[in-house]
Amino acid sequence: MGPPARRVGGPFVLLVDSTARFAGGAAGMGYREVAVEEIREVLRLWLGLAVGLPSPGLRTIAAHAGVDRKTVRRYVQAAQAAGLVHGAGADALTDELIGRIVTAVRPVRPNGHGQAWEQLAGFTDQIRTWVAGDGDQKPLTLTKIHILLARQGCQVPYRTLVRFATEQCGYRRTTSSVRVDDCAPGAECQLDFGYLGLLDDPASGKRRKVHALVITAVYSRHTFVWLTHSQTLDAVITGCQAAWEFFDGVFAVIIPDNMKPSVAQADAVNPRLSRGWLDYAAHARFVTDTARVRTPQDKPRVERTIQYVQKNFWAGETFTDLDHAQQAARTWCAHTAGMRVHGTTATQPAVVFAAEEHRHLLPVPQQPYDVPVFKQVKVHKDFHACVGKALYSLPETWIGTTVDVRADSETVKFYHRGELIKQHPRQGAGGRSTDPADYPADLGAYATRNITAQLQQCERYGPHIGLYAARIVDDPRPWSRMRAVYALIGLVSTYGAAPVDAACQSALALDVIAVTKIRSMLERGTETTSPALPRAAGHAPTRFTRDPSEFAAATAALTLIPGTKEN
């Protein structure tokens, strides 16, 4: 039984299937055009030419022909009017007869459209302005346009308005899709991320998002899937490395989406790729041809494959962790996705890849790629720049300058406008790599606590200066006395080496080890004068000096009285 008919102020309308063709009726309503074969079948059944079904009623004919009962009545009445009678044979159903019946039943539609369409044609400019907007007036919805047209006396079905606005007024205008020929074997692969779902992460104890990096060969449609919790440059490169091992080769051209790890600035003609992606492309020797922004048509092979991965591989599966899921994904790529019969090519992707594409791939690089970190850092006043929570020294010239850094697991390289200006071995977090040559000559030894270098510098100024410096650092903690040695070197810069050496000689003679005493001698100019020794008290007369005889007391003689004893 066909779909039921309904009547809304016009001819009968059948619901439309996917093969239906629309047209306006006499009153502007859309309906499904009954095919010529269906009309012939209706009349054949009415004539009783079907075996075992003599002279059926209109309801029975409608059920067998797949059309509405009222439609059957209209075509039977038109056939009778054209001269067809019961008892006629199959020869009576000629093309000419069918043509006269169709002309009599179907309304006249100028230019393939009905009266409602023709009525809207007079409002084309107005509808186009409403759809696009005009100055400060924003575009109107078709619902509002339908109301405004009704106010002006244009009463048309809403669906007819939608079709008219789409075809004639630029409403939801879509561009045509062009099927581009496939590339040569091994020439291109397309790359994109797709979200799969949540998965337990034993390291963090939480459920984390899982993304699939899908790489699809354009020619063979062979696919590799790499699962990751993040979409960083490290994750993309790690996935590509695994893909090259899976394919046993590298494709000449990679077509990625405009993902941040690979594309620093998107552009349809001249995109700017990230430094990390360019460095990896040079290592693997492929070329990058990015897709345009919001243009999935530029990478349709991988776009469709992502849906296949989501529904066929991930949906309904249970994985313990990311490693378990990755092992399952590799097996799925090789045996399920690779061995299925592809809907477009009607071939097995893995078989086509092995037979026609594998030999055209570039060789996989022998040296593993050490994923670097690219960033910009500023050289601070302490002659160091911070990279990965570690400090690296640079010459004084670059203080306050922002430089480019490339840091891998072995080395850290600093660049300025493309020129390598410094290189250090990579340090762990909290570490430091300092080159004493980066400091000025008078600061290097102090900054690095190089006592030997300071003593050698003092010896070059003079033998007594060197001996005096050695006496200064003669301490259980010699590095704590380095400031005093640095102050002694500063006196050489101020007063010259000869006066300082003479002062040190005089101080050593008296065993006086204090840089402040050396500074005092130089300030008073007494470095070459013998120091006055301390004098005893009373060496020279003073105001209150007395002669020693004045302090002598006379001794009286003692006379013993008879009868007494001496005590």
Side-chain angles (χ1 to χ4, degrees), residues 61-124:
I61 295 174
H64 283 277
V67 295
D68 186 71
R69 176 173 56 87
K70 297 176 182 178
T71 302
V72 173
R73 178 183 292 108
R74 293 169 57 205
Y75 281 102
V76 169
Q77 292 175 352
Q80 291 175 330
L84 186 64
V85 296
H86 270 290
D91 296 338
L93 301 178
T94 61
D95 293 335
E96 291 76 8
L97 176 65
I98 300 297
R100 292 198 303 270
I101 295 172
V102 170
T103 302
V105 172
R106 294 178 180 175
V108 178
R109 295 172 295 135
N111 301 322
H113 298 290
Q115 295 179 359
W117 188 283
E118 297 300 327
Q119 188 178 1
L120 288 172
F123 297 88
T124 301

Side-chain angles (χ1 to χ4, degrees), residues 10 14 36 56 181 202 249 264 271 308 327 348 358 368 374 450 459 501 510 530 535 543 552 563-565:
L14 290 178
V36 172
D181 291 340
Y308 180 54
Q327 295 175 3
Q348 295 174 305
H358 176 260
F374 292 90
N450 191 343
E459 290 177 357
D501 189 70
L510 298 174
S530 298
R535 294 179 295 179
R543 178 180 179 184
T564 62
K565 295 182 179 180

Side-chain angles (χ1 to χ4, degrees), residues 43-300:
L43 298 179
R44 189 178 71 88
L45 294 173
W46 179 74
L47 292 175
L49 300 179
V51 178
L53 193 64
S55 301
L58 298 182
R59 191 181 301 277
T60 304
I61 295 174
H64 283 277
V67 295
D68 186 71
R69 176 173 56 87
K70 297 176 182 178
T71 302
V72 173
R73 178 183 292 108
R74 293 169 57 205
Y75 281 102
V76 169
Q77 292 175 352
Q80 291 175 330
L84 186 64
V85 296
H86 270 290
D91 296 338
L93 301 178
T94 61
D95 293 335
E96 291 76 8
L97 176 65
I98 300 297
R100 292 198 303 270
I101 295 172
V102 170
T103 302
V105 172
R106 294 178 180 175
V108 178
R109 295 172 295 135
N111 301 322
H113 298 290
Q115 295 179 359
W117 188 283
E118 297 300 327
Q119 188 178 1
L120 288 172
F123 297 88
T124 301
D125 294 338
Q126 181 63 70
I127 297 174
R128 187 178 291 117
T129 302
W130 284 335
V131 168
D134 184 13
D136 297 334
Q137 178 65 48
K138 295 182 178 180
L140 302 180
T141 64
L142 287 189
T143 303
K144 184 64 175 181
I145 294 175
H146 188 249
I147 296 174
L148 296 179
L149 289 174
R151 292 177 183 175
Q152 300 182 28
C154 181
Q155 298 278 354
V156 296
Y158 178 77
R159 291 301 308 167
T160 304
L161 174 61
V162 172
R163 294 193 302 272
F164 182 84
T166 302
E167 296 183 22
Q168 303 295 328
C169 304
Y171 176 71
R172 293 180 180 176
R173 186 181 300 276
T174 57
T175 59
S176 59
S177 178
V178 179
R179 180 177 291 275
V180 181
D181 291 340
D182 289 337
C183 61
E188 295 178 0
C189 72
Q190 297 176 1
L191 180 151
D192 198 5
F193 271 111
Y195 173 71
L196 296 183
L198 298 175
L199 190 65
D200 293 333
D201 181 18
S204 62
K206 300 178 180 179
R207 290 177 62 81
R208 299 181 60 186
K209 292 182 178 180
V210 178
H211 304 275
L213 179 66
V214 182
I215 301 176
T216 302
V218 173
Y219 181 81
S220 64
R221 309 304 203 272
H222 201 21
T223 297
F224 177 76
V225 177
W226 177 257
L227 305 182
T228 175
H229 287 307
S230 62
Q231 300 185 30
T232 61
L233 176 64
D234 195 353
V236 174
I237 293 178
T238 303
C240 289
Q241 291 285 89
W244 309 151
E245 295 177 2
F246 177 80
F247 292 121
D248 191 26
V250 180
F251 290 86
V253 179
I254 308 297
I255 305 177
D257 195 4
N258 288 275
M259 57 185 72
K260 288 297 183 181
S262 58
V263 181
Q265 183 177 355
D267 187 85
V269 180
N270 296 312
R272 182 167 62 86
L273 303 178
S274 66
R275 296 176 57 196
W277 184 255
L278 287 174
D279 189 82
Y280 177 66
H283 171 79
R285 299 188 303 165
F286 61 77
V287 177
T288 305
D289 181 17
T290 62
R292 292 169 294 177
V293 178
R294 293 185 295 274
T295 310
Q297 297 90 339
D298 288 355
K299 47 182 179 56

Side-chain angles (χ1 to χ4, degrees), residues 19-59:
T19 60
R21 176 172 176 264
F22 287 93
M29 297 298 295
Y31 63 92
R32 182 176 77 89
E33 289 186 352
V34 181
V36 172
E37 290 74 17
E38 293 175 316
I39 298 173
R40 191 183 301 275
E41 180 66 13
V42 167
L43 298 179
R44 189 178 71 88
L45 294 173
W46 179 74
L47 292 175
L49 300 179
V51 178
L53 193 64
S55 301
L58 298 182
R59 191 181 301 277

